[in-house]
Structures are given as structure tokens and as C-alpha cells.
Amino acid sequence: MRRKILLPLIISLVFSLANISQVKAYPFNVTNDYPVASSPQDVVVADFNNDGRDDVAVVGYTTGRISVLLNQAHGLLSTAVNYSVGNAPWGIAAADFDGDGYQDLIVSNSGDDNVSFLENDGDGTFAAAVNYKTGGKPMGLAIGDFNGDGDDDIAVANMDDDTFSMLSGNGDGTVAEFLTIAAPDLTTLTKRNAGTFPRQRLSEVIDGRAEVKVHGPRDMPVWGEWFDYEAMSPDTDRDAREIIVRLRIEALISYVESIQQK
């Protein structure tokens, strides 16, 4: 009788242990909440003090401040240190704008039509913000070397005037005077040229023959030099390289022609 009672219990216990071993492990532990500037809007992660650990900077939309929290190891962050920027800050990004090996911060201020640059002092703290003008109501921003000079530049999307601003980095923590560019509609080139697709003009603009200011209004960038650089190879002579470049430019022109509005 005793065996009849114990046997089902043992079987049940074995199956229970088996089910426990098959329980799926979740990828996150308990959430840690950290007080930051009011109405946190955006966040960026970077190693601000070069200790090999990722730190955090958070935008506080209603306070005109950002909060920086340094990584204390084991997944714990320090108490937030706040820095003033502009009104209604929206986006934030990190990059080494002055070439000193430390990540600086750039913040778009949608209420002031500018961006704030905060230079890293080298220990995870930041200098007072320096502001640069943009278009109307700057929102999202991104970092990249857009002119190929090896220095980080800034692209900012401006909501109020349907433009984006390009700020060219000088490599010393400053940026050149901003350039606001309205996004061109390449599908209307034929309409704007009395119904004829401007193939020759487009070819001259793309390969750089046309006298178009690099920072002035234009419908296409200069691609000739870039295509020429891509075509360079120890096994490619000059004549062959010119053919490769011309074919690539023609392919680009044909694509633009194919998207023209009827």
C-alpha cells in the first residue's frame, strides 16, 4: 500500500523537476530606474571617461538640460550630473569632435533653432554648451564625415522649414557656419526644363565640369571624383578607369531619368 502511494508522488516530482529545467531564461534582470532631467526624450550611449565601460547621456525635454550617468561597473550607473543646453532639447549624439580621444556631445534644441556642443573635459564631465545656428525646430541629428576630410560633421533635420542643416566639423571642436539645404525633388528635372530631360547638364554637374558652388543650391552632388577614386586599382590603367567612371555616371543619369514625373 505504501509503495502504491509513494510511486505516483515520485513520478510527479520527477516530471516537476524536468519542467523546471526547461523553463526559458529571460534575457533581462530587474529594471534599475535612475532619476534624470524631466521629460526624458532621447538617449545616447558612449564611453565618456575612457574606462572601457559604456556611460549614458539623456535629454530632458522640458528642463533644457541633459543628464550624464557614468558606469560604475556591474550594470550600475552613477547619480545623474545635469548640464544646461537650449530650450526644448530633442536629439542627442556623441562623437570625438575635437580629436582628443574623448566623446563629446551634440544636442538639438527644437525651441531655439540651434544645436549645443558640449566638449568632454577628459574625465566624463563636460564644459558649458556652445551653440550653433540651424534651421527651424531642429529635431533628429546624426554624425558622419560628409565631406571626406576625416572630421566628424553633423546633420540635423529641421521640422518647421522642411530642411536639414549640415554643420561641417573643423576637427578642433568647432563647426563651420551651418548650411541649410532643402531636399531637392529629382523627379521634376524634366518638368523644370520645358519637358526635356537635361542629360548633358546633369552629366556636367555630376562629374564636376559644371561651375556649381559646392555649398550652393544644386540638384546633384559631384560624383566624378568619387567614382574615379573607386575605379583606381593597380591593374587598371587611366583609359580603362575613365571608361569605368563614365559608365557609372551614365548609369546614375539613366536612373534619374527613369524616375521623372510624366
Side-chain angles (χ1 to χ4, degrees):
M1 177 65 70
R2 198 170 186 180
R3 286 182 180 176
K4 291 182 179 180
I5 295 175
L6 290 176
L7 186 58
L9 291 175
I10 293 171
I11 294 174
S12 176
L13 179 61
V14 170
F15 275 101
S16 296
L17 292 174
N19 288 334
I20 290 174
S21 67
Q22 295 175 7
V23 172
K24 183 178 179 180
Y26 288 96
F28 301 103
N29 294 319
V30 177
T31 300
N32 294 321
D33 294 327
Y34 296 89
V36 293
S38 297
S39 303
Q41 162 63 31
D42 197 9
V43 61
V44 67
V45 174
D47 183 2
F48 296 127
N49 55 1
N50 283 8
D51 63 356
R53 297 190 290 261
D54 284 333
D55 309 305
V56 178
V58 183
V59 173
Y61 178 76
T62 58
T63 60
R65 296 179 180 178
I66 63 168
S67 299
V68 176
L69 300 88
L70 299 181
N71 195 324
Q72 303 297 295
H74 307 297
L76 299 177
L77 301 178
S78 67
T79 300
V81 176
N82 295 327
Y83 298 88
S84 295
V85 286
N87 289 318
W90 188 269
I92 188 169
D96 181 11
F97 291 104
D98 54 4
D100 64 355
Y102 293 95
Q103 295 288 302
D104 309 304
L105 290 170
I106 194 80
V107 180
S108 59
N109 301 309
S110 64
D112 287 337
D113 298 345
N114 62 25
V115 294
S116 292
F117 167 70
L118 293 90
E119 182 180 3
N120 192 324
D121 287 333
D123 57 0
T125 62
F126 293 85
V130 177
N131 297 328
Y132 295 90
K133 184 69 176 173
T134 64
K137 199 172 184 180
M139 306 290 279
L141 49 78
I143 307 301
D145 180 10
F146 301 110
N147 56 5
D149 64 355
D151 298 322
D152 285 322
D153 309 311
I154 306 163
V156 188
N158 305 309
M159 177 177 284
D160 274 0
D161 49 16
D162 296 332
T163 64
F164 70 91
S165 297
M166 296 285 291
L167 296 92
S168 178
N170 295 320
D172 59 358
T174 63
V175 295
E177 184 179 357
F178 85 99
L179 167 68
T180 297
I181 307 172
D185 184 357
L186 298 181
T187 67
T188 61
L189 293 179
T190 298
K191 283 187 175 181
R192 287 183 278 148
N193 194 47
T196 301
F197 181 68
R199 174 173 289 273
Q200 182 61 32
R201 170 64 176 170
L202 194 56
S203 175
E204 293 174 356
V205 170
I206 293 174
D207 66 22
R209 285 177 292 162
E211 294 184 1
V212 180
K213 293 182 180 179
V214 175
H215 288 151
R218 60 182 303 142
D219 291 316
M220 292 292 294
V222 177
W223 286 104
E225 291 184 2
W226 174 251
F227 284 152
D228 189 49
Y229 173 79
E230 280 194 325
M232 292 180 68
S233 156
D235 301 323
T236 305
D237 60 30
R238 180 175 180 80
D239 291 338
R241 191 165 71 240
E242 289 182 357
I243 294 173
I244 293 172
V245 171
R246 178 50 52 192
L247 289 174
R248 290 180 176 179
I249 292 177
E250 286 299 322
L252 180 57
I253 293 172
S254 295
Y255 170 74
V256 173
E257 184 175 16
S258 72
I259 63 174
Q260 294 305 295
Q261 295 181 14
K262 302 300 182 181

